[in-house]
Amino acid sequence: MLRLALSHVESRAVAEEVVQDAWLTVLRSLDRFERRSSLRTWVLGIVVNCARSRARTERRIVTTSSESGPVVDPVRFLPANHPRWPHHWAAEPTEWRTPEAELLVRETRSVILDAIDALPSTQREVVLLRDVEGLQSTEVCNILRITDTHQRVLLHRARSRVRNALERYFAATEAT
Amino acid sequence: MIVTDLPELPCRELVELVTDYLEDRLSPIDRARFEAHLTECEACRTYLEQFRETIRVLGRLPEESLSPEAREALLTAFRGWSRL
Ligand SMILES: [Zn+2]
């Protein structure tokens, strides 16, 4: 929840205020809660709204760009006119020999968090709600008022970028 | 449907479809192309596994917690509210 708020505002202190605002809004409007959504989805929706309006008053630029273009650098692939393997991998992804437990150590975690931070805000909202908070796609579409297709585009771009960041990180650490 | 008659799905296109594949939103034809490619391409199998691993790790990030001061302020607000 705090991470969701942090994704819209500059400082941790402001994010904490946003979370407090959100909870107070929840309390004030609890009688308006309809059981169409789960309480959790409803609360997260309020956090998103509070964070967005706070971002607006702080005039933080809402970035929606880079929703087109390839998710993997084109130089990683062979050209379209390659006689045998057009558009196949030129630089194949190499297996991460990192055991999954190690993916959760502090360094890796900060690589992931930095990658999330660097995302355009709409992609960040979607990946936080879907993959970090674990909401269903229909719930995320309701909260963010986007179509299912758009949601999947944003999610895919976000996940791809996080994977790319991990790949770069592992390549660098294994090289040393 | 004969799978081998389908146009090939090259690696560069496959990486764009991974989330649609995982969410089961590909058309039956694209799904067949996707899976046919996977059986023949180890690099794309690796890519898919890394993608899945990324999603798993995202789901296991620890929750950020509020500072003690913010938590205290909230609890005070809750207490005030419950007295209403
Ligand atoms: Zn491939």
Side-chain angles (χ1 to χ4, degrees):
Chain A
M1 194 172 286
L2 186 57
R3 190 161 283 144
L4 198 59
L6 268 171
S7 79
H8 289 81
V9 294
E10 214 63 71
S11 75
R12 191 182 168 91
V14 175
E16 296 208 341
E17 282 173 33
V18 168
V19 171
Q20 293 186 44
D21 283 354
W23 275 115
L24 296 176
T25 308
V26 166
L27 292 179
R28 276 195 301 270
S29 44
L30 208 49
D31 54 339
R32 267 182 280 146
F33 171 62
E34 296 164 34
R35 282 163 189 278
R36 275 180 316 191
S37 61
S38 75
L39 187 59
R40 183 175 152 72
T41 304
W42 185 67
V43 170
L44 287 171
I46 289 174
V47 175
V48 168
N49 284 333
C50 287
R52 281 181 173 179
S53 67
R54 185 64 181 248
R56 267 195 301 276
T57 59
E58 304 212 327
R59 293 210 210 117
R60 220 184 157 201
I61 301 137
V62 178
T63 43
T64 50
S65 59
S66 74
E67 281 173 30
S68 58
V71 295
V72 175
D73 190 337
V75 304
R76 297 282 302 269
F77 300 98
L78 297 168
N81 61 6
H82 190 274
R84 180 94 174 84
W85 302 109
H87 282 172
H88 281 239
W89 291 100
E92 298 188 350
T94 49
E95 233 171 282
W96 295 341
R97 267 164 295 150
T98 325
E100 187 146 334
E102 212 176 295
L103 282 173
L104 291 164
V105 301
R106 185 189 294 265
E107 290 75 24
T108 323
R109 205 187 281 161
S110 72
V111 170
I112 297 171
L113 293 177
D114 289 349
I116 294 176
D117 266 351
L119 293 171
S121 51
T122 45
Q123 290 180 29
R124 195 163 47 216
E125 285 177 338
V126 172
V127 78
L128 285 174
L129 289 169
R130 276 299 303 278
D131 290 342
V132 180
E133 297 285 345
L135 296 191
Q136 299 294 310
S137 57
T138 47
E139 298 174 309
V140 175
C141 293
N142 285 339
I143 288 177
L144 302 177
R145 299 199 184 87
I146 53 177
T147 64
D148 187 48
T149 308
H150 192 199
Q151 187 255 159
R152 257 179 295 123
V153 170
L154 295 170
L155 182 61
H156 185 61
R157 306 200 72 76
R159 286 170 168 176
S160 302
R161 289 212 192 175
V162 176
R163 194 212 70 92
N164 293 346
L166 284 172
E167 179 177 59
R168 275 195 305 276
Y169 173 71
F170 290 136
T173 50
E174 274 166 31
T176 53
Chain B
M1 181 163 53
I2 304 159
V3 172
T4 49
D5 281 353
L6 292 171
E8 212 230 338
L9 181 74
C11 311
R12 186 174 165 167
E13 284 173 40
L14 183 139
V15 300
E16 304 290 339
L17 299 178
V18 175
T19 292
D20 285 354
Y21 173 72
L22 295 175
E23 307 255 298
D24 204 9
R25 300 305 297 258
L26 289 178
S27 69
I29 288 172
D30 282 342
R31 187 172 187 87
R33 292 169 71 210
F34 193 101
E35 287 173 345
H37 181 96
L38 279 184
T39 61
E40 285 171 15
C41 181
E42 197 189 342
C44 282
R45 285 199 297 276
T46 300
Y47 187 89
L48 178 64
E49 183 42 45
Q50 290 173 351
F51 208 89
R52 285 196 163 115
E53 213 162 323
T54 303
I55 296 167
R56 279 198 295 274
V57 175
L58 282 167
R60 291 170 60 190
L61 288 176
E63 174 71 51
E64 286 269 352
S65 50
L66 289 176
S67 66
E69 302 79 52
R71 193 184 307 239
E72 194 44 52
L74 255 185
L75 285 174
T76 308
F78 280 133
R79 280 193 288 269
W81 178 74
S82 60
R83 273 200 300 273
L84 293 177

